[in-house]
Amino acid sequence: MNETRLQYAILLVLIVFIIILISLAASVFVRKKRSKRLQRIKIILATSIGSQLKNSEPSYPTKIINILKKELKLNYGFMAIANVLVELQEIILLPQTEKPMAIINKIGLDSKIFNKLKSKNSYKIALAIKYSYELGIIKHCEHFKQYTNHKNVNLRREAQLGLFVFEGWGGFKYLSNITQPMSLWQIIRIMEVLEKHPLPASLVQVKNMLCSKHSDTIILALYCANHFELVTLNNEILPCLDSGNERISKLAVQFKLMLEAKTRPKVIVGGDKEIILKTSTSNGSIYT
Amino acid sequence: MGPFTHSLDWFFLVYGIVLFSCYFLFVFFATRAIKKNKNNASLLTPNQIKGAKELPSISLIAPAYNEGKTIIINVQSLLSIQYPYYKLIIVNDGSNDNSLEQLIKAFDLVLSTTPIKAQPIKSAPIKDIYTSANPLYKKLTIINKENGGRADALNCGIANATTDLVLCTDADCIIEQDALIKMVRPYLQATQKEVIATGAGIGIANDSIINNGTLQTLKIPKSFIAKVQVVEYMRAFLVGRMAWGYINGLFLVSGAFGLYPKKRVLEVGGFDKDTVGEDLELCIRLRVHMERLKLPYDVVYIPETLCWTEAPATPKVYITQRDRWARGLYETIKKHRYLFYNPKYKSSGMLFFPYWVCFELCAPIVEFIGLILLILYIILGEINYSIAILLFILIYFIGAVYSALAILIYTYNFKQYATFSKVFQLVLVAFIEPFTTHPILLYAEMKGYFKKIFRIKSTWGTMSRKGFVTNKD
Amino acid sequence: MVVKKEVLIINENHSVTALLKSYLVSKKCNVTISHTNTEFLLAINSNRYSSIITDILLVGTSGLELINTIKNNSTKSKVFVLSHMDQQVQKEMISELGAISFLTFPIDLGYLNSVIE
């Protein structure tokens, strides 16, 4: 073996390692600096929003608009700013008209999000969908439909959720030909979104879901029936008691219990539904 | 020396190259896995989980044996863990100090009215079960039982849990208050694959400031051997476990912090009382169980550090701990040796188990033999010094860089330890460690194996803890 | 002269405190903020707040300990727990603690106004 050549090779490997280490160390500190800056922006924006909440027409100082515009130009800027806005929105319930739409349009965040909806990376599309529905950009809704049966679990969840957010109970019509499995989280979120919408007069779409071939859509419909106490669906649900699927029959049993509790003269008053539900599921796993 | 030693040389070379390539493959997988976890977290935020209904319920099971000094504060802190459907089960494993009396007084405990059921898993007999008369502590259950060891106490807790999931930990661990909210995410996101175990990063809190049973300020431990373990844990949890989790090859969810579906743990009969490596053994048994049922499954690791513990701060205690781990590994691998290259168990048998045998179990042995051989070569003078020294430098450097990468990946992703001085200290430790504590580790592991091979009786070994520094304001 | 209302906000999240503070200041309240346990222990001593809005989580103390300290130290204040966890089980537990009421995210401004008054 040629010794000098070996020495050079080893030296090269060492240098490569040192370069990797130094560049990683540098990126650690760049990242830390950015997260500090974003934190500052968040607080400035929070203070500004807070002080204007009692005004009916909020107006934001141009200084803040400029800071946001600058940050938006950076790599992943849309994500950072949208995150800040979503987070602030989660703190205080803004009237529907006062969603920070003004600020979104002003800095051009909506078009940035729209561009990401056409991305090839399913994570980025999912994020864009999430920000669209969280920030109430209703014009993006059309683009969600193509992803409802996507193979990426996060993407199809966000797409379906987005449709439910904008269309309420009407969102069920997009689930009729779903073949991909659903996670428990997806069901929980759909339920949460539906809580904010009034019960529709006709439950035909939930009924259709119960007759579906896909077990996960039946499970979603059953959760829905239990959660919103849709007692009128008993004819469709009671056959599920003999279903071969363990999870479906368990949910159907819960429904039956709920039905019996409702028809029986009330002994226990309200508030206990959750406890009953919990104890009846606590003997086994409630996820697949 | 002839052809025999020559082929031995080649064996060492190939072994080394394969091991190091595995390590760098791990770094690659781990970064992918951390990114995936971050993406999931940004679409499923902790705040959303906090407000959700219909979440699976969780029991935290913490065995306590003679922990009277800190038990009240620890239970207080465990009770305040944030999770909507949460129960806390403390199993008093036949302590002979006054922990039970203290608990009864502090939490207004009364004997539970529900009779003790027939136990689905055998454990040492239960003396009595207490619940609190104070509605504030209604999440709390205390099981007072005869002493039977950690695995036995955990089994007893699992058998008496009424929730979907059980989190097994220790009463003296400091658990982040939002840990369960983060731990439950894989269960919520699971679709076809059933999650059979979730683990999370474990950190070392020696010399940190602890207040009311929670971590107030994280500090780097003073003792060198504890510092080394900070680096070791980062390497093991952030790189090793995350990488294995990424390819669904995780065999070990740490005993100090693991979340399991109760149903599956009961099906396999709980923890094994006859091994000191009960966490590794349970995880392998769960995997085997799912393979036999022909159900798809997943073992998930969360990169965030959610549980803090006290690491051995002196070489003596360190040796006892690692000796025990080595014995646990040996026992478990021996028990499940049928997995080795068994196509029935698919990748678990064909790939992951052989890796554990070749590179986890045998690495200390290979290293030990290598050292002996090296000494022999030096005595016989059959050594090419310039090549040997160069190779030595290269290997030393690769090892240190691997540790340094783990530290940097950690600080890149998490805010703990993310200050210049802390990173510098840890990287320095990574470069000194191979000469100082590594030989101690090798000694401890060889000691453990020798005890097993020559059937020398040994127990858990006492883990003497200094106790955390509690900050009283 | 109108006496300003004293409000104490205990929360680790700086944007939550910034938003609430700027809103309450515009509503003519005096606002004190605690982000950490040390700040909280200093602030709670004075017992001069008409309302306290607190999180159940704070670095350096456990939730139960935090609420106990508030209850022992501020006898005159109305205490509100501000949390994401708004499940029935949680509400029950909080109500067991005494005269403490529950405020959930996202905060309804109308409700906040009525409770602060």
Side-chain angles (χ1 to χ4, degrees), chain B residues 47 49-53 76-77 79-80 82-85 135-139 177-178 181 211-212 214-216 473, chain C residues 13 37-38 41 55-65 68 83-90 92-93 96-97:
Chain B
N47 285 348
I49 300 179
K50 276 184 200 169
K53 290 159 185 100
Q76 281 260 2
S77 141
L79 271 173
S80 342
Q82 302 282 294
Y83 191 76
Y85 307 104
L136 203 59
Y137 308 125
K138 73 175 173 199
K139 293 171 186 168
Q177 300 273 298
D178 55 355
I181 284 169
N211 201 358
N212 287 324
T214 60
L215 185 71
Q216 184 166 314
D473 289 85
Chain C
N13 188 335
N37 192 35
T38 350
L41 290 171
D55 195 350
I56 355 183
L57 239 166
L58 195 64
V59 170
T61 184
S62 61
L64 285 172
E65 190 63 38
N68 273 336
S83 167
H84 280 99
M85 298 207 291
D86 63 339
Q87 291 86 349
Q88 198 59 37
V89 199
Q90 293 297 315
E92 278 166 22
M93 203 201 92
E96 304 283 2
L97 287 165

Side-chain angles (χ1 to χ4, degrees), chain A residues 14 26 50 54 60 76 90 100 114 130-131 148 181 195-196 204 244 249:
Chain A
L14 293 185
K54 62 178 175 125
Y60 300 98
Y76 284 101
E90 277 171 0
F114 187 74
K130 179 186 155 132
Y131 293 141
T148 48
E195 263 179 18
K196 291 179 188 136
V204 68
S249 20

Side-chain angles (χ1 to χ4, degrees), chain B residues 62 67 74 77-78 81 150 168-176 202 213 255-257 306-310 465 468:
Chain B
E67 311 213 12
N74 286 340
S77 141
L78 289 177
I81 285 179
R150 186 171 180 272
C168 299
T169 178
D170 284 316
D172 56 359
C173 279
I174 292 162
I175 292 171
E176 294 273 321
I202 293 176
F257 203 63
L306 298 179
C307 171
W308 301 90
T309 146
E310 194 188 348
R465 285 177 198 272
F468 290 118

